[in-house]
Amino acid sequence: LLIGATLLAALGLTNAELLVGLVLTERYADAVLPIAILFAAFLPMALNMFLVELNNARDRLRGNTQFAAILAGVSVTVGAVLIAQYAVTGAAIAKTVAIVAGSSFLIYHSREGIAVAMKPMVWKTMLLFVIFVGLRLLLDDAHWIVSNGVALVAVGIGIVLLRLFSAEEWAQWK
């Protein structure tokens, strides 16, 4: 989930202009920045989904209710300030800030009793994100298929070198 969200976030963030041009029309060119911001939010959002499900499985619904209240409160509060000045971009920023605030709460309150070492996995995933975005920006003048292809191959190599999957997980892919 985390690796998939990382790839989706990196692809969306670095290809927002291309996506708007292909899927929408030039009339929606102003949507590029808000879409890029929302794609960047996929990474903490995936972590939120994992931790909420973990809380559900451990019958810690109170923490999930507090998480939902934080999301709503931060989104409305920050949104009220930013939307007035920055319109749809302000809404995207407010949503992303709320998601990150929720992630911070969940990480702090849900980590107890997790058998998987989360910090190394999160740091490795962030490193893959930085590698993808860095290569995409470095190869920005190349055709989008080439720059995305090189970045995806580098992330694939990184997944193997960083040992993000155990032997049992690799066996499940076969």
Side-chain angles (χ1 to χ4, degrees):
L1 179 67
L2 199 54
I3 294 169
T6 300
L7 289 174
L8 191 56
L11 279 164
L13 178 66
T14 58
N15 291 287
E17 187 173 357
L18 175 67
L19 291 169
V20 169
L22 289 174
V23 178
L24 305 172
T25 62
E26 289 181 20
R27 190 172 106 193
Y28 295 99
D30 290 344
V32 171
L33 181 58
I35 286 174
I37 292 168
L38 290 173
F39 267 111
F42 276 27
L43 188 55
M45 192 167 53
L47 188 57
N48 289 352
M49 290 170 31
F50 170 76
L51 292 172
V52 163
E53 289 302 321
L54 182 68
N55 284 342
N56 287 342
R58 298 188 302 176
D59 202 27
R60 294 184 178 178
L61 302 180
R62 182 173 186 225
N64 287 347
T65 302
Q66 292 169 329
F67 162 72
I70 289 169
L71 280 181
V74 172
S75 188
V76 168
T77 304
V78 176
V81 173
L82 294 180
I83 292 171
Q85 187 166 356
Y86 300 106
V88 73
T89 301
I93 293 169
K95 182 67 173 175
T96 302
V97 168
I99 290 169
V100 170
S103 289
S104 300
F105 172 82
L106 285 174
I107 289 168
Y108 182 75
H109 289 286
S110 303
R111 62 186 174 179
E112 173 190 319
I114 297 176
V116 176
M118 289 297 294
K119 280 185 184 177
M121 184 181 296
V122 171
W123 284 113
K124 289 175 183 180
T125 304
M126 291 301 297
L127 178 60
L128 294 177
F129 179 82
V130 169
I131 288 170
F132 186 97
V133 171
L135 283 172
R136 267 296 279 120
L137 294 175
L138 187 66
L139 300 172
D140 198 39
D141 291 336
H143 191 275
W144 65 269
I145 293 175
V146 172
S147 59
N148 283 308
V150 169
L152 286 170
V153 167
V155 167
I157 292 168
I159 288 171
V160 172
L161 292 177
L162 294 172
R163 298 176 189 227
L164 280 172
F165 294 110
S166 67
E168 295 84 25
E169 290 169 321
W170 281 116
Q172 290 178 355
W173 284 93
K174 293 180 181 180

